[in-house]
Amino acid sequence: MATEPVVPPEAALIKARRRDRLPPMGAAAAAAAATAAGVKMSAEGWRSIENGRYDGPPDKLAIMAQVVGISAEELAELGEREGRENAARAARLLESHLRQRAAAEPAVAASSLDVESTPEQVLRMILKGIDDIRAAPGLTAGQKSSLERSLMEAVVSSVGGQIVQIRTALEILGERSR
């Protein structure tokens, strides 16, 4: 009698997130997106990892997580909580890939943003914005480039403004505690 494989928690999370997408993403579409992102996968390979028949290596888990929108932070927390080294390694790869991609973007590189110290969620939002700009129909390359620069200026200005507010609040609180 064959036993059902034990599904690793990272595989269960990937499967749940893929199915919870609106619209839901099939395994074939997910595998195609992973292949487009640089890790060759078939639909059967994707399902084998999701169903626990194959313990996915960190590089595949990282791309699978990226495809379904799992953050490196979320994957790292799962790896730590569940004692899953593959998930922890995948999280480090995912974060590294995100930071490398952000640093390679011309609009990001031209800004004063420090990619290494910027929170992952902020980098994800920036890259999503850049991707949306590039996918926008009817704009010239120059218009898209201008929008990307405007996005970065707005992000840096907003974050800079928040830092000033925080420093001011800390100074006021420091003076009150004296």
Side-chain angles (χ1 to χ4, degrees):
M1 178 179 202
T3 61
E4 288 293 315
V6 175
V7 177
E10 62 273 17
L13 177 62
I14 288 167
K15 185 175 189 175
R17 199 62 60 83
R18 177 180 62 79
R19 288 184 168 174
D20 289 346
R21 290 175 60 108
L22 292 175
M25 177 184 271
T35 299
V39 174
K40 188 173 179 173
M41 290 192 78
S42 65
E44 183 56 35
W46 184 284
R47 283 190 290 271
S48 289
I49 292 172
E50 277 188 345
N51 294 326
R53 291 189 303 267
Y54 169 64
D55 199 12
D59 63 329
K60 287 194 178 187
L61 291 172
I63 292 297
M64 292 172 78
Q66 178 183 322
V67 166
V68 299
I70 297 169
S71 70
E73 182 179 15
E74 188 176 7
L75 199 54
E77 288 172 2
L78 181 142
E80 185 175 328
R81 183 177 66 246
E82 301 290 336
R84 296 288 301 169
E85 185 57 33
N86 269 3
R89 286 184 184 147
R92 289 189 296 273
L93 287 171
L94 185 56
E95 182 171 0
S96 175
H97 172 73
L98 176 74
R99 293 191 186 287
Q100 287 172 3
R101 177 171 175 227
E105 286 293 343
V108 175
S111 75
S112 61
L113 189 77
D114 179 7
V115 171
E116 289 306 313
S117 65
T118 300
E120 175 191 357
Q121 184 61 29
V122 173
L123 292 177
R124 287 174 61 135
M125 288 188 299
I126 290 168
L127 293 173
K128 174 74 171 107
I130 289 172
D131 290 343
D132 289 347
I133 291 166
R134 290 184 181 155
L139 297 177
T140 67
Q143 290 168 322
K144 290 179 181 184
S145 179
S146 177
L147 285 171
E148 289 175 18
R149 284 191 307 275
S150 293
L151 169 67
M152 290 310 304
E153 289 169 6
V155 167
V156 170
S157 175
S158 177
V159 171
Q162 291 297 315
I163 290 170
V164 167
Q165 288 179 355
I166 290 168
R167 286 182 181 152
T168 302
L170 290 172
E171 287 174 12
I172 292 170
L173 290 171
E175 289 173 7
R176 287 184 184 166
S177 65
R178 291 182 195 163

